[in-house]
Amino acid sequence: MIPTLAGRVQTRLFVLATVGVVLTALLALVLPMSLRDAFVMLLAVAVVGVGWELLYHLLMQFRWDKDWPTLFGLVTAVPEGLLMWVLLDAGLVPGVGGRCRSGRSP
């Protein structure tokens, strides 16, 4: 990964377009959702993720070395995932169908 904002965004989009597409297709087969909904959610993850990278980059500017420890980069997956969960639960991701068959949010 290139340690610049553009490099992080490119890496995020590349991984989502390769690994993310394969995993989404496999998970959509087992989860109670349509393939279309699964890929709309993957697109939402890409859009929100780019915004997340911009916020992450802005916060890094306040550190003296302009970077986070590596562990912080890994831990950011938790709040990012929670944000996506809240957005999906609130129905703020356009194009995703209603609730799952189990009655829970996707």
Side-chain angles (χ1 to χ4, degrees):
M1 176 176 100
I2 302 169
T4 63
L5 175 61
R8 287 194 313 272
V9 170
Q10 290 169 359
T11 301
R12 175 183 291 267
L13 294 176
F14 177 76
V15 170
L16 283 173
T18 54
V19 178
V21 166
V22 172
L23 287 177
T24 300
L26 291 173
L27 285 173
L29 297 173
V30 233
L31 295 175
M33 70 175 61
S34 71
L35 191 61
R36 180 188 171 283
D37 282 352
F39 280 104
V40 168
M41 287 192 305
L42 182 66
L43 179 63
V45 167
V47 170
V48 169
V50 169
W52 195 264
E53 284 294 338
L54 294 173
L55 176 65
Y56 181 78
H57 185 74
L58 175 71
L59 291 175
M60 281 193 307
Q61 300 311 307
F62 295 105
R63 291 185 47 88
W64 69 273
D65 60 351
K66 307 286 189 238
D67 198 8
W68 295 109
T70 305
L71 181 61
F72 282 21
L74 294 172
V75 172
T76 59
V78 173
E80 186 177 348
L82 289 174
L83 173 64
M84 282 307 304
W85 185 279
V86 168
L87 291 175
L88 286 167
D89 193 45
L92 296 175
V93 179
V96 176
R99 298 194 177 261
C100 295
R101 287 180 280 208
S102 66
R104 294 179 302 171
S105 298

